[in-house]
């Protein structure tokens, strides 16, 4: 059975003319942000991508069909439907075979985007290794290891064990670049406290690394962009509410794919919307950078067979302008 995908007219037109396209995930709309702000953000982020000269492709499964690019009616459905399924890769075949609907995670969005010929994907924070004794590792990590995609994010959600997640990304040979930073971002926080091996300064460098990666083997290039210090969540507030949220999740017996939405919702509530504000800024900024990278990737490809050199990533050297 071939995989049937429905492209929005906008995405189909962009791909037909070889234009830049940016994939956007729908789980953060359906399960990561509260209603009705989530719908505003979903629309706003698409506009940000368009303003950079790229085409947004928000991805979801509706009534058994993969949608690459959503109409406004479909966006309303994703944002508004109570108890919409959260579809990781393992859930996709079930939804497709049974005519189901759901929002796609980083893992399933990356897979579907790559299958649809989209190279660049913007999200908030990746899933990863959860904290605590029980073993919980997001399927995002294995998916990124297997998929040729460039993902722009603000690191991994700070609800996770960041050190363990970075180790897993290394084991899985996922390329990780800091965008204008030497430190891995901490999602709500500018700096997770963990250093990075590679730093880039310009979107074209991200595009060149992705091109080189694709020539080598499948697997993702993660471009980690931090919030500016002035826009991060107050670190003291962050540490206090996160500790409380983790205890509450444990006490409430939250498990499986409910963990991430539970923790995010708890934080948005107890920070009086401060974590939500930071989360929205992360998504907006990442969408903008992803669009600029997608445009750079198209421009690079138009160099007509010119060899693409690995960019100088050494921070001691000045970045090419
Ligand atoms: N980042 C956000 N908000 C989110 C998520 C990530 O800012 O809602 C979602 C993504 O869809 C990610 C998923 O793939 O959480 C990870 O869930 P899990 O930990 O169950 O794999
Ligand atoms: Mn999990």
């Amino acid at each position: 059975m071939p995989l049937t995908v429905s492209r929005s007219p906008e995405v189909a037109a962009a791909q037909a003319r070889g234009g830049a396209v940016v994939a956007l995930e729908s789980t953060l709309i359906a399960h990561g942000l509260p209603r009705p702000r989530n719908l505003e953000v979903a629309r706003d982020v698409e506009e940000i991508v368009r303003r950079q000269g790229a085409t947004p492709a928000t991805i979801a499964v509706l009534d058994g069909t993969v949608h690459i690019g959503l109409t406004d009616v479909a966006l309303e459905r994703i944002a508004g439907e109570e108890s919409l399924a959260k579809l990781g890769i393992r859930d996709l075949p079930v939804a497709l075979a049974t005519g189901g609907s759901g929002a796609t995670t980083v893992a399933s969005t990356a897979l579907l985007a790559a299958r649809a010929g989209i190279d660049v994907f913007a999200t908030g924070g990746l899933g990863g290794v959860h904290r605590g004794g029980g073993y919980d590792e997001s399927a995002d990590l294995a998916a990124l290891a297997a998929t040729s995609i460039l993902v722009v994010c603000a690191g991994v959600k700070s609800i996770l064990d960041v050190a363990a997640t970075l180790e897993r990304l290394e084991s899985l040979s996922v390329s990780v670049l800091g965008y204008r930073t030497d430190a891995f971002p901490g999602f709500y926080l500018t700096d997770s406290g963990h250093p990075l091996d590679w730093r880039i300064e310009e979107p074209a460098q991200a595009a060149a690394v992705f091109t080189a990666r694709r020539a080598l083997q499948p697997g993702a290039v993660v471009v980690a962009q931090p919030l500016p210090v002035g826009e991060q969540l107050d670190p003291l507030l962050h540490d206090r509410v996160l500790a409380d949220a983790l205890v509450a999740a444990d006490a409430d017996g939250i498990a499986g794919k409910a963990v991430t939405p539970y923790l995010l919702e708890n934080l948005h509530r107890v920070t009086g919307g401060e974590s939500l504000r930071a989360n929205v800024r992360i998504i907006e900024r990442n969408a903008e950078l992803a669009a600029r990278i997608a445009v750079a990737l198209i421009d690079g490809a138009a160099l007509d067979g010119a060899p693409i050199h690995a960019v100088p990533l050494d921070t001691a050297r000045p970045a090419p302008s």
Side-chain angles (χ1 to χ4, degrees), residues 146-235:
T147 310
S148 281
I149 192 107
L150 185 149
V151 188
V152 181
C153 64
V156 302
K157 281 159 291 179
S158 52
I159 59 177
L160 302 169
D161 183 335
V162 178
T165 303
L166 282 169
E167 291 294 343
R168 286 292 292 149
L169 287 169
E170 182 182 352
S171 305
L172 293 165
S173 296
V174 173
S175 304
V176 182
L177 311 175
Y179 183 72
R180 300 183 179 173
T181 182
D182 299 331
F184 194 58
F187 195 64
Y188 299 122
L189 305 180
T190 302
D191 182 346
S192 69
H194 299 275
L196 283 170
D197 292 338
W198 303 110
R199 169 184 176 135
I200 57 166
E201 304 295 333
E202 297 301 329
Q205 292 178 301
V209 172
F210 178 68
T211 303
R213 168 91 206 206
R214 189 165 45 187
L216 201 58
Q217 72 166 175
V221 172
V222 169
V223 175
Q225 168 173 245
L227 276 180
V229 172
E231 295 192 56
Q232 72 174 340
L233 189 60
D234 171 13

Side-chain angles (χ1 to χ4, degrees), residues 25 27-28 32 86 105-106 125 130 138 140 157 187 260 264 279:
E25 63 149 312
T27 289
L28 73 83
K86 171 179 166 183
T105 64
V106 168
H130 282 259
S138 175
D140 289 356
K157 281 159 291 179
F187 195 64
T260 295
L264 293 177
N279 202 342

